[in-house]
Amino acid sequence: MIIDCHGHYTTAPKALETWRNQQIAGIKDPAVSPKVADLKISDDELRESIESNQLRLMRERGSDLTLFSPRASFMAHHIGDFNVSSTWAAICNELCYRVSTLFPEHFVPVAMLPQSPGVDPATCIPELEKCVKDYGAVGINLNPDPSGGHWTSPPLSDKHWYPIYEKMVEYDLPAMIHVSTSCNACFHTTGAHYLNADTTAFMQCLTSDLFKEFPTLKFLIPHGGGAVPYHWGRFRGLAQELKKPLLQDHLLNNIFFDTCVYHQPGIDLLNTVIPVKNVLFASEMIGAVRGIDPETGNYYDDTKRYIEASKILSDADRHQIYEGNARRVFPRLDALLKTKEAK
C-alpha cells in the first residue's frame, strides 16, 4: 500500500469559496453574513470534485490512500475572530469527512483547527475532539503562526500550546505543522512562508526540551522539512553549541518529514541526510506546484517517481516510506487499516 500523508481538499466545489467570500464580507457588514445552512454541496458534487482530480491522479500515479485535510491556504486563521475560524473549520472538516465516507478506501480525514491570533489554543479542543470521535480523524494540522506571516504567537515549545499537545497525546494524534496564507508581503505563501515555517518549527523544537515534557508527541514537518535537511550540519552544530543531545536522540523520535520535494536531487538529499524511519511519503497533490517539469516531462508533484528512481533506497526502505512509517506515526490510521484488513 502507498499512503500519501499530505493531501488537501484544493478542488472543493466553487460554492465553498463563494460562501467563504461572503463570510469574509460579513466581518465588515454583518447584514451579509451567510448562514451555515446556505452552503449546499451535494454528494454528487463532492464525487465529481474528487474523481476527476485527486482520485484520477492517485490511480494514474499508483498511490492508494490519502490523508486528507482542508486546503491549507484557505485555513486563513488571520481572518476575523475565533467565531469566524470556528465556523469555517467546522465546514471544511465536515467536507473532508464526507469525502472519506464517499471514498473510504482512498481518503482518511485529518482535521483543521479553528485557530485565531491571540486566542487560547484550548478553544480548538471541541473541534479536535469532534473530528476524532465523529469523523475518525487520524491527525491534525497545527498552524504555528495563525497571524499569517507576522509570527505573533509563542514558539511551539511554549506552554501556550500545551492544551493541544495534551489532547494529541491523549488521542495518539500526530500534528502536521502547517501554516496558511501569508498576509505579509515579504513572504510568498507557498514559496517562502511555508518553507520558512517548516524550518522555524524545527528550530523551535531544537532549542527546547519539549519532547522531555511530551515524550510521545509527534510532529510531521511537511515539504521535506523546509531548509532542515540541506542545513543538517548547521542544526547539528547549533544543538552542540546549546549543549543539547545529538539530534537523533533529541528530536528524531518525535519529528518526521514528508516527501513533498519536487525534484530528484532534493529527494535524494532528504533520504541521504534524514533516517528512513523519519520519512513519510507525500505529494501534496493537488497542491502548490501543479505543472510539468520541462527537464523530465513529468509532473513536479509526482513524487513517487523520485522514490522509485532513488539509487540509495532499498525495497525495504521504500516500504517504510510508502506505508510502514505512516502506520507507525499515525497509530489511529494503523488501527483503522488493521480493522479493514481483518474483514
Side-chain angles (χ1 to χ4, degrees):
M1 175 180 286
I2 296 179
I3 301 169
D4 188 330
C5 69
H6 186 172
H8 299 300
Y9 197 4
T10 55
T11 61
K14 186 68 176 177
L16 179 65
E17 185 175 359
T18 300
W19 189 95
R20 173 61 162 171
N21 289 337
Q22 192 174 350
Q23 185 196 35
I24 293 170
I27 296 170
K28 291 184 177 179
D29 181 6
V32 303
S33 293
K35 297 180 175 63
V36 173
D38 294 339
L39 177 62
K40 300 184 187 304
I41 298 176
S42 69
D43 284 354
D44 285 343
E45 289 175 292
L46 293 181
R47 287 191 190 93
E48 169 61 22
S49 73
I50 294 295
E51 287 178 340
S52 60
N53 293 293
Q54 285 89 349
L55 190 56
R56 173 180 61 82
L57 291 173
M58 287 169 65
R59 287 167 173 160
E60 289 177 2
R61 299 179 186 182
S63 63
D64 301 298
L65 182 70
T66 296
L67 303 191
F68 204 52
S69 62
R71 185 174 180 175
S73 62
F74 269 29
M75 295 191 297
H77 294 119
H78 62 280
I79 294 176
D81 57 14
F82 172 75
N83 289 329
V84 169
S85 285
S86 181
T87 302
W88 180 234
I91 286 172
C92 293
N93 284 328
E94 183 186 25
L95 286 177
C96 288
Y97 165 65
R98 287 175 61 193
V99 168
S100 76
T101 63
L102 292 171
F103 303 98
E105 301 304 314
H106 298 291
F107 295 93
V108 175
V110 168
M112 160 188 172
L113 299 181
Q115 297 174 246
S116 189
V119 177
D120 186 346
T123 57
C124 297
I125 290 174
E127 181 69 17
L128 181 155
E129 293 192 319
K130 179 188 74 176
C131 289
V132 172
K133 296 176 181 178
D134 298 346
Y135 296 167
V138 299
I140 61 172
N141 288 346
L142 180 64
N143 185 350
D145 175 34
S147 72
H150 295 287
W151 292 91
T152 57
S153 295
L156 290 170
S157 54
D158 192 89
K159 290 184 178 180
H160 170 82
W161 302 99
Y162 280 20
I164 299 295
Y165 299 161
E166 289 163 358
K167 286 298 174 181
M168 288 171 60
V169 169
E170 178 182 347
Y171 291 114
D172 221 352
L173 294 171
M176 177 175 282
I177 306 301
H178 206 309
V179 289
S180 186
T181 296
S182 170
C183 57
N184 183 332
C186 295
F187 302 129
H188 182 277
T189 294
T190 54
H193 186 43
Y194 281 16
L195 306 181
N196 293 346
D198 303 336
T199 309
T200 298
F202 184 85
M203 191 64 196
Q204 289 177 355
C205 294
L206 187 154
T207 57
S208 76
D209 293 311
L210 177 62
F211 300 123
K212 287 185 179 179
E213 292 283 330
F214 296 95
T216 62
L217 195 67
K218 294 190 286 291
F219 289 162
L220 177 59
I221 299 183
H223 319 115
V228 173
Y230 189 76
H231 286 290
W232 194 244
R234 174 179 290 261
F235 292 111
R236 288 175 56 232
L238 289 169
Q240 186 173 319
E241 293 293 327
L242 293 167
K243 311 299 182 188
K244 298 296 183 183
L246 296 175
L247 290 185
Q248 61 260 37
D249 301 318
H250 185 45
L251 299 179
L252 292 188
N253 292 315
N254 306 87
I255 290 181
F256 305 86
F257 305 86
D258 76 13
T259 65
C260 291
V261 179
Y262 297 144
H263 63 149
Q264 190 70 50
I267 286 287
D268 290 344
L269 172 69
L270 174 68
N271 287 313
T272 299
V273 173
I274 303 300
V276 166
K277 71 180 183 67
N278 291 86
V279 178
L280 280 67
F281 177 74
S283 68
E284 201 184 347
M285 177 273 295
I286 299 170
V289 182
R290 306 183 182 192
I292 293 176
D293 184 344
E295 295 182 3
T296 67
N298 299 314
Y299 285 93
Y300 286 102
D301 63 359
D302 187 358
T303 53
K304 180 172 175 281
R305 287 182 179 272
Y306 310 135
I307 303 299
E308 290 298 310
S310 170
K311 293 180 171 59
I312 59 175
L313 295 173
S314 67
D315 288 344
D317 293 337
R318 290 186 180 89
H319 172 74
Q320 288 304 305
I321 290 171
Y322 284 146
E323 178 181 359
N325 293 339
R327 295 180 71 142
R328 179 167 50 85
V329 174
F330 291 84
R332 300 182 79 91
L333 171 66
D334 185 52
L336 174 66
L337 293 177
K338 285 178 176 175
T339 299
K340 291 183 176 182
E341 290 162 356
K343 291 182 179 179

